[in-house]
């Protein structure tokens, strides 16, 4: 078992565990923190696949900006731990069962495919570097990139309008 | 690493997100679960892009970079979505003093 | 030529659409001008067609494929030959006169109903022409059903009166009973010969394919259809009730044209009938008994139109007698002359009714001869013609029938003669009660008596002239050398009839005998009815007045049981069977939608749950169950 495999398993375990903890935590603040951990694990995966640009963006945008925004909202609302009432057991059971079934079905479907063991390039490869992605982004995807700025603008306007009401 | 490891990891994260959406009543946590699901997909997308690159690097030096660009755009959209979504939740809280998702059953009316 | 023939057919249809659709916008004069005009054009074209037929003989035109199933085809074909050209002339000619007459007769109606009346009349002419022009049984049947429909519509023309609606329904249903026989005959022919075209069916190769049982059955079934349409026993009771329609309708449909469709059908299929002696015997029996039964009923009727209706039934019986005897051209001859004098009599009665302000009871009439001079004169001519006084048209045609009856058997001759005498008697009873003696109606009616306007009297005069001279086209050989022109003309269709085996002396003798008897009967009627006083009827008289209680009998044995069955079906089958199923479906949908509605409770979580479950199902199908 090489260093890649060890890293992969460590990061995967961390991601799944943190995700589970996020779902089951009673306190929303803990949930946010667990989710940030998930994002870090995923960024680790990105780094493992040498997608440096996405790893950085993931940490800056998700773990940094978005999750801070979440925390900020939570603090603003001052939600107590027990504000969330218990869902009745039937719904809880049904939700877990449905999710589990979906997992089972998808995994089973995956196991039936032929190309399941195609390898993923790890550690090397330069497509994930900022230089490479930047070239493509500003050459071939310039217009979508600019359009996304308009999307941001409109989201900003929307958030302000909703928040002012 | 074989691709199916990554697929199974993504599916697992995605399903955890789904279970969270289905079982939790706090709107913010539901929202966070959705973010988790998005990230599961992002991870898978990057894994596929690298797989694609490994296969076709000889033909095309930048093969698979579209996948990563797609992830970038997903992040862009997610950021926009979060800003609007959180604004909505704040407004909901202001009106009902709760973020319980069941107060959103106004869809019925 | 081909388009020409189609034009004859389509002109009345055009008139139907114009006057029917324009009934609310057009003026009355426009409507009557349109409908009379198209019929007149049609008549002119028919006349030219007639001249053509003299030269060219039988022609069949195929227009398009009407029905095509596998190898079996029914083309929309029209056939013009001697027989149909004679009928064309009768229909369009008499039809035109009656159109002109009704333009004045129906004047009191509101414009909308006036237009409706004329559109129905035009539609009727269209279907009647389709009937006689049809080149195969299916086209003929279309016309056959169409005239039945128009008859229904026109009998129920005053639809606000329930009695009339009932009469219309009765006519339609009785016709349908007969039509069933007709339909079965058509299917039988299709099954055996795989075609419905006249030209093929009546060829000797096709006839060879039919066994004698087939022919007997087919001819009998066709005859059942004919009894419905032509009001023979047992399906005759609708015709007297059909007098509920306006008088011109009675004249056109229920005397001159539609009711002779049965005669046309049998004459058209004469090749088949000549091969079916059993059917011929049946036709003789039915025809003769209808002739006599209807004549006896007519003796005691008091409604002027009912008498004429029974007289029509009786005359139709004569025509069937002739058909049964194989004297097809004599039957067609009688159709022709009957169209003239019966239309005349009906239109004359319409004129009388007009004068009497709508009263139809002859007991209230009397002495009308002074005021209604033209009607009086023309009516008298009509009566002479129907009674068979030489040399009016009825004499020749009736004589032709009587002669062929004598040839078959003297018994038939005597029976037919009795019928003829009854005819003369009741017609002159009607005549004398109406026109001579003293007026017996109310004072108000007396003041309003007036002769009808020109538009009504001119058709009467034309028909009277035709009733006088119409017989000469079929004048027997013994009077003029080269006589019997009609049967010679029809011989390509009807086939040469065996020469009469009766000697000329006997023929003269029979004619003289019948004439003397008829004149004696007329004198008797004159003596009895000129100074008529209402008296109470004897028991037999009452029975006859009630039409031998045939309607009551039919009600007892047919109508009531069917009504009862229908009621049972309605109560049991309909309510607890069909209704339960229909309502059950409704209730099921209602119930299940109430249940499904609960799924849509507005809780987003539940929606997502359902979405996930659906995704699971779709994935399962996609990856595991799909082959």
């Amino acid at each position: 078992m090489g260093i890649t495999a060890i890293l992969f398993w460590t990061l995967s375990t961390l991601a799944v565990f943190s995700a589970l903890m996020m779902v089951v935590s009673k306190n929303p603040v803990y949930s946010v923190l667990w989710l940030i951990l998930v994002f870090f694990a995923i960024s680790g995966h990105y780094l493992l696949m040498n997608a440096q640009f996405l790893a950085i963006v993931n940490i800056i945008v998700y773990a940094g900006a978005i999750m801070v925004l979440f925390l900020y909202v939570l603090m603003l609302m001052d939600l107590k731990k027990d504000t969330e009432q218990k869902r009745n057991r039937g719904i809880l059971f049904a939700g877990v069962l449905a999710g589990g079934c979906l997992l089972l079905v998808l995994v089973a479907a995956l196991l039936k495919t032929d190309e399941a063991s195609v390898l993923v390039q790890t550690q090397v490869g330069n497509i994930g570097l900022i230089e490479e992605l930047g070239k493509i982004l500003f050459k071939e995807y310039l217009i979508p990139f600019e359009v996304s700025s308009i999307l941001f603008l409109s989201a900003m306007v929307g958030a302000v309008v909703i928040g002012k009401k | 690493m074989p691709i199916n490891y990554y697929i199974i990891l993504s599916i697992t994260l995605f399903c955890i997100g789904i279970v969270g959406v289905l079982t939790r009543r706090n709107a913010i946590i539901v929202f966070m679960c959705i973010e988790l699901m998005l990230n599961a997909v992002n991870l898978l997308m990057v894994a596929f892009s690298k797989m694609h690159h490994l296969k076709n690097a000889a033909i095309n030096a930048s093969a698979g970079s579209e996948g990563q660009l797609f992830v970038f755009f997903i992040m862009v959209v997610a950021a926009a979505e979060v800003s609007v979504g959180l604004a909505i939740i704040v407004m909901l809280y202001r009106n009902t003093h709760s973020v319980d998702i069941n107060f959103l059953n106004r869809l019925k009316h | 030529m081909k388009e020409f023939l189609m034009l004859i057919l389509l002109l009345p249809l055009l008139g139907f659409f114009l006057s029917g659709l324009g009934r609310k916008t057009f003026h009355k004069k426009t409507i009557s001008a349109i409908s009379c005009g198209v019929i007149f054009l049609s008549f002119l074209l028919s006349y030219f067609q007639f001249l053509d037929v003299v030269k060219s003989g039988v022609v069949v035109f195929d227009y398009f494929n009407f029905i095509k199933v596998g190898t079996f085809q029914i083309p929309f074909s029209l056939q013009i030959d001697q027989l149909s050209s004679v009928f064309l002339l009768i229909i369009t000619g008499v039809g035109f006169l009656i159109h002109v007459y009704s333009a004045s007769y129906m004047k009191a109606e509101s414009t909308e109903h006036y237009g409706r009346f004329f559109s129905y009349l035009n539609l009727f002419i269209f279907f009647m022409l389709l009937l006689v022009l049809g080149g195969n049984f299916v086209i003929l049947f279309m016309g056959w059903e169409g005239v039945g429909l128009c008859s229904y519509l026109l009998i129920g023309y005053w639809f606000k009166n329930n009695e009339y609606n009932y009469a219309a329904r009765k006519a339609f249903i009785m016709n349908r009973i007969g039509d069933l026989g007709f339909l079965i005959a058509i299917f039988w022919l299709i099954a055996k010969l795989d075609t419905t075209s006249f030209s093929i069916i009546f060829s000797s190769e096709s006839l060879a394919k039919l066994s004698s049982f087939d022919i007997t059955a087919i001819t009998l079934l066709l005859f059942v259809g004919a009894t419905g349409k032509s009001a023979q026993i047992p399906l005759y009771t609708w015709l007297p009730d059909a007098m509920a329609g306006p008088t011109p309708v009675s004249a056109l449909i229920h005397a001159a044209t539609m009711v002779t469709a049965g005669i046309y059908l049998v004459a058209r299929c004469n090749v088949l009938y000549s091969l079916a002696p059993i059917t011929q015997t049946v036709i003789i029996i039915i025809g003769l008994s209808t002739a006599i039964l209807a004549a006896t009923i007519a003796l005691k009727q008091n409604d002027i139109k009912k008498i004429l209706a029974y007289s029509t039934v009786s005359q139709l019986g004569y025509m069937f007698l002739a058909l049964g005897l194989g004297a097809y051209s004599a039957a067609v001859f009688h159709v022709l002359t009957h169209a003239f004098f019966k239309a005349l009599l009906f239109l004359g009665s319409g004129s009388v009714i007009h004068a009497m302000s709508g009263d139809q009871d002859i007991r209230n009439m009397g002495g009308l001869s002074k005021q209604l001079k033209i009607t009086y004169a023309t009516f008298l001519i009509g009566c002479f013609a129907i009674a068979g006084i030489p040399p009016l048209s009825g004499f020749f045609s009736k004589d032709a029938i009587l002669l062929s009856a004598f040839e078959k058997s003297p018994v038939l001759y005597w029976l037919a003669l009795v019928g003829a005498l009854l005819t003369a008697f009741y017609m002159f009873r009607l005549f004398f009660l109406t026109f001579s003696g003293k007026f017996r109606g109310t004072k108000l009616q007396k003041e309003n008596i007036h002769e009808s306007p020109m538009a009504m009297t001119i058709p009467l005069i034309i028909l009277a002239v035709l009733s006088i001279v119409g017989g000469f086209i079929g004048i027997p050989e013994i009077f003029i050398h080269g006589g019997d022109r009609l049967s010679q003309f029809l011989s390509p269709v009807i086939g040469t009839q065996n020469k009469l085996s009766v000697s000329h002396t006997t023929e003269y003798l029979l004619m003289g005998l019948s004439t003397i008897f008829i004149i004696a009967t007329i004198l008797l009627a004159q003596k009895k009815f000129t100074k008529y006083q209402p008296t109470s009827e004897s028991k037999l008289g009452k029975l006859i007045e009630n039409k031998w209680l045939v309607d009551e009998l039919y009600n007892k044995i047919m109508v009531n049981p069917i009504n009862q069955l229908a009621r049972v079906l309605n109560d049991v089958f309909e309510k607890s069977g069909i209704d339960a199923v229909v309502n059950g479906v409704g209730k099921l949908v209602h119930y299940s939608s109430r249940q499904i509605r609960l799924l849509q409770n507005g809780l987003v979580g539940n929606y997502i749950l359902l979405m996930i479950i659906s995704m699971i199902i779709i994935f399962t199908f996609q990856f595991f169950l799909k082959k």
Side-chain angles (χ1 to χ4, degrees):
Chain A
M1 205 144 109
I3 183 77
T4 313
I6 293 169
L7 277 175
F8 176 83
W9 287 113
T10 317
L11 289 170
S12 299
T13 317
L14 180 66
V16 172
F17 176 73
S18 311
L20 280 173
M21 287 311 289
M22 178 207 81
V23 172
V24 298
S25 300
K26 291 264 184 321
N27 193 332
V29 179
Y30 289 171
S31 281
V32 174
L33 294 177
W34 281 117
L35 188 59
I36 290 172
L37 207 53
V38 176
F39 290 154
F40 271 103
I42 287 175
S43 286
H45 272 297
Y46 289 163
L47 279 176
L48 193 63
M49 288 184 281
N50 207 22
Q52 297 167 5
F53 173 66
L54 286 179
I56 292 301
V57 169
N58 201 34
I59 288 175
I60 294 173
V61 174
Y62 264 116
I66 295 181
M67 293 330 285
V68 167
L69 201 59
F70 268 99
L71 268 181
Y72 202 68
V73 169
L74 278 175
M75 304 287 181
L76 241 146
M77 288 175 186
D78 189 27
L79 288 171
K80 293 281 177 309
K81 227 196 316 199
D82 49 326
T83 46
E84 187 181 353
Q85 290 146 346
K86 270 268 177 285
R87 283 214 159 201
N88 69 42
R89 287 192 164 273
I91 296 279
L92 205 71
F93 180 72
V96 175
L97 188 71
C101 281
L102 188 65
L103 180 69
L104 266 182
V105 167
L106 288 174
V107 171
L110 174 70
L111 293 179
K112 278 183 80 180
T113 53
D114 305 326
E115 300 194 30
S117 55
V118 178
L119 287 183
V120 173
Q121 192 185 38
T122 46
Q123 293 177 328
V124 289
N126 54 1
I127 53 163
L129 302 184
I130 298 175
E131 188 188 352
E132 295 292 319
L133 279 180
K135 273 182 194 159
I136 295 168
L137 185 61
F138 289 109
K139 272 183 187 165
E140 294 169 32
Y141 293 90
L142 187 60
I143 293 178
F145 182 70
E146 294 299 336
V147 170
S148 65
S149 65
I150 298 177
L151 177 72
F152 267 123
L153 183 66
S154 57
M156 218 158 76
V157 172
V160 170
V161 168
I162 293 171
K164 273 189 84 175
K165 263 182 191 168
Chain B
M1 297 303 292
I3 186 71
N4 53 355
Y5 287 24
Y6 281 101
I7 297 177
I8 289 173
L9 173 62
S10 295
I11 292 173
T12 313
L13 289 175
F14 189 84
C15 287
I16 291 169
I18 282 182
V19 171
V21 168
L22 289 176
T23 52
R24 298 303 298 259
R25 292 176 66 172
N26 189 327
I28 292 176
I29 293 186
V30 168
F31 207 19
M32 273 158 36
C33 289
I34 291 169
E35 295 302 317
L36 177 64
M37 284 151 77
L38 273 173
N39 263 277
V41 173
N42 282 354
L43 174 63
L44 191 57
M45 198 91 80
V46 174
F48 275 134
S49 114
K50 293 297 283 185
M51 177 192 103
H52 196 59
H53 184 68
L54 187 64
K55 248 184 168 178
N56 298 318
I59 308 162
N60 183 2
S62 64
S65 52
E66 290 89 354
Q68 300 205 8
L69 273 176
F70 211 109
V71 172
F72 173 69
F73 281 112
I74 289 176
M75 283 178 182
V76 166
V77 174
E81 172 217 332
V82 165
S83 64
V84 177
L86 280 176
I88 292 175
I89 289 175
V90 168
M91 198 186 67
L92 176 77
Y93 181 76
R94 215 186 283 160
N95 287 339
T96 64
H97 287 283
S98 162
V99 286
D100 194 321
I101 200 130
N102 281 5
F103 281 103
L104 283 176
N105 70 358
R106 301 235 157 76
L107 283 181
K108 194 153 99 178
H109 306 299
Chain C
M1 183 79 173
K2 196 173 171 182
E3 287 72 26
F4 201 65
L5 195 60
M6 199 58 168
L7 200 59
I8 298 181
L9 193 60
L10 289 183
L11 272 170
L13 191 65
L14 178 74
F16 160 66
F17 281 122
L18 284 179
S19 50
L21 296 176
R23 67 184 190 280
K24 287 185 180 164
T25 43
F26 289 162
H27 199 255
K28 273 187 198 177
K29 279 203 173 117
T30 328
I31 290 171
S32 57
I34 289 171
S35 17
C36 296
V38 289
I39 304 298
F40 186 65
L41 279 178
S42 210
F43 172 67
L44 283 182
L45 292 174
S46 307
Y47 180 67
F48 292 125
Q49 198 74 56
F50 175 75
L51 295 182
D52 265 358
V53 166
V54 176
K55 280 178 279 173
S56 61
V58 183
V59 193
V60 182
F61 297 112
D62 284 359
Y63 289 88
F64 52 86
N65 250 339
F66 184 57
I67 292 176
K68 190 175 175 214
V69 183
T71 56
F72 172 67
Q73 283 189 356
I74 298 174
F76 186 90
S77 62
L78 299 184
Q79 176 173 353
I80 178 86
D81 56 17
Q82 283 81 357
L83 183 62
S84 45
S85 67
V86 168
F87 271 89
L88 270 190
L89 284 180
I90 298 175
I91 294 161
T92 52
V94 177
F96 171 65
L97 292 176
I98 292 172
H99 269 73
V100 173
Y101 179 91
S102 8
S104 163
Y105 187 85
M106 301 300 285
K107 222 167 213 157
E109 297 289 314
S110 71
T111 313
E112 193 183 331
H113 292 297
Y114 192 78
R116 189 165 61 89
F117 179 79
F118 275 99
S119 65
Y120 288 169
L121 271 193
N122 277 350
L123 187 67
F124 168 76
I125 298 274
F126 164 73
F127 277 123
M128 194 67 208
L129 293 177
L130 192 65
L131 196 161
V132 296
L133 284 176
N136 58 45
F137 275 107
V138 174
I139 305 298
L140 194 156
F141 188 71
M142 272 166 64
W144 185 274
E145 288 296 319
V147 290
L149 168 73
C150 293
S151 158
Y152 165 79
L153 290 172
L154 283 165
I155 295 169
Y157 171 72
W158 285 302
F159 53 78
K160 284 187 180 153
N161 186 329
N162 256 340
E163 287 274 302
Y164 294 178
N165 285 336
Y166 179 73
R169 223 164 60 205
K170 184 173 176 184
F172 198 73
I173 290 170
M174 284 222 161
N175 268 304
R176 293 297 313 166
I177 297 171
D179 292 345
L180 182 65
F182 191 177
L183 262 183
I184 296 173
I186 294 176
F187 287 132
W188 198 310
L189 278 170
I190 291 174
K192 289 285 169 190
L193 298 177
D194 218 20
T195 180
T196 55
S197 294
F198 295 141
S199 47
I200 303 174
I201 289 174
F202 299 143
S203 64
S204 44
E205 305 98 69
S206 300
L207 293 175
K209 284 189 214 161
L210 294 170
S211 69
S212 67
F213 173 71
D214 286 337
I215 292 182
T216 309
I218 290 169
T219 49
L220 270 177
L221 287 168
L222 287 176
F223 179 62
V224 169
T227 54
K229 192 69 58 188
S230 293
Q232 297 296 295
I233 292 176
L235 299 177
Y236 72 92
T237 54
W238 67 269
L239 187 58
D241 286 355
M243 296 304 131
T247 310
V249 172
S250 310
L252 178 61
I253 300 183
H254 304 117
T257 52
M258 185 188 89
V259 289
T260 61
I263 318 289
Y264 170 79
L265 179 66
V266 177
R268 172 60 77 198
C269 307
N270 63 77
V271 182
L272 290 175
Y273 280 90
S274 300
L275 294 173
I278 300 172
T279 316
Q280 285 192 315
T281 316
V282 172
I283 296 180
I284 291 173
I285 294 168
I286 299 249
L288 195 56
S289 44
T290 310
I292 293 175
L293 182 85
T296 54
I297 296 175
L299 288 178
K300 287 288 178 189
Q301 295 303 305
N302 292 321
D303 184 321
I304 184 166
K305 284 177 74 182
K306 283 261 161 86
I307 296 175
L308 291 174
Y310 279 108
S311 146
T312 307
V313 175
S314 160
Q315 297 300 313
L316 289 166
Y318 272 106
M319 297 173 207
F320 274 104
L321 172 64
L323 293 172
L325 292 166
Y328 302 108
S329 60
V332 176
F333 185 27
H334 201 57
V335 167
L336 180 69
T337 57
H338 178 255
F340 294 148
F341 60 67
K342 192 46 72 63
L344 168 62
L345 288 169
F346 262 115
L347 295 188
S349 77
S351 179
V352 170
I353 295 166
H354 207 62
M356 291 290 292
S357 328
D359 195 351
Q360 303 189 357
D361 195 332
I362 52 173
R363 282 172 300 192
N364 299 337
M365 300 174 187
L368 295 180
S369 55
K370 283 152 230 141
Q371 286 98 335
L372 308 176
K373 285 215 167 60
I374 299 174
T375 312
Y376 167 71
T378 50
F379 207 87
L380 182 63
I381 292 170
C383 285
F384 276 135
I386 193 172
I389 300 290
L392 280 78
S393 58
F395 169 72
F396 293 111
S397 54
K398 195 171 277 184
D399 189 65
I401 296 173
L402 288 177
L403 198 62
S404 38
F406 183 77
E407 207 185 348
K408 185 96 175 174
S409 129
V411 181
L412 288 180
Y413 173 79
W414 287 110
L415 285 172
L417 186 60
V418 168
L421 296 182
L422 289 173
T423 308
F425 188 76
Y426 66 71
M427 280 317 298
F428 277 91
R429 168 175 176 265
L430 165 65
F431 178 77
F432 289 123
L433 281 183
T434 310
F435 288 104
S436 55
K438 279 200 185 101
F439 188 73
R440 295 179 293 273
T442 61
K443 215 159 180 207
L444 192 70
Q445 281 172 331
K446 191 166 185 174
E447 282 160 12
N448 276 330
I449 291 175
H450 58 278
E451 179 61 294
S452 306
M454 290 272 280
M456 284 164 75
T457 51
I458 287 174
L460 284 178
I461 293 167
I462 296 175
L463 283 170
V465 171
L466 285 171
S467 301
I468 295 170
V469 302
F472 290 110
I473 63 163
I475 189 166
E477 191 94 39
I478 51 168
F479 288 118
I480 302 173
H481 182 66
D484 238 354
R485 295 286 294 274
L486 186 71
S487 60
Q488 272 172 24
F489 175 69
L490 290 173
S491 60
V493 185
I494 282 174
T496 44
Q497 271 141 28
N498 38 350
K499 278 278 164 206
L500 293 176
S501 56
V502 192
S503 71
H504 282 187
T505 333
T506 328
E507 209 175 330
Y508 279 124
L509 198 67
L510 292 175
M511 281 181 190
L513 197 67
S514 63
T515 312
I516 290 166
F517 271 124
I518 285 167
I519 291 175
T521 319
I522 293 172
L523 291 176
L524 181 69
Q526 186 189 14
K527 188 158 173 262
K528 200 162 172 202
F529 294 112
T530 314
K531 295 190 172 64
Y532 171 80
Q533 287 300 323
T535 48
S536 63
E537 296 286 353
S538 64
K539 249 191 174 162
L540 184 66
K542 276 244 169 69
L543 186 62
I544 295 175
E545 200 176 339
N546 290 325
K547 308 152 200 169
W548 297 107
L549 298 176
V550 173
D551 272 327
E552 286 74 8
L553 184 73
Y554 282 3
N555 273 342
K556 267 245 156 56
I557 61 170
M558 288 301 299
V559 179
N560 288 347
I562 287 178
N563 273 344
Q564 239 142 33
L565 181 68
R567 207 167 298 131
V568 169
L569 286 179
N570 180 37
D571 288 348
V572 178
F573 191 67
E574 177 85 15
K575 287 214 173 104
S576 56
I578 294 171
D579 276 10
V581 170
V582 172
N583 290 342
V585 169
K587 271 185 189 146
L588 182 72
V589 171
H590 191 233
Y591 175 78
S592 49
S593 51
R594 278 173 76 89
Q595 297 306 308
I596 292 172
R597 190 182 66 109
L598 297 178
L599 286 178
Q600 197 162 13
N601 52 5
L603 290 174
V604 187
N606 284 6
Y607 294 171
I608 299 172
L609 182 63
L610 283 177
M611 197 172 92
I612 304 295
I613 291 171
S614 315
M615 271 165 65
I616 293 168
I617 292 168
I618 290 169
F619 279 131
T620 316
F621 263 105
Q622 180 70 25
F623 294 119
F624 304 112
L625 297 180
K626 212 174 79 174
K627 284 281 170 270

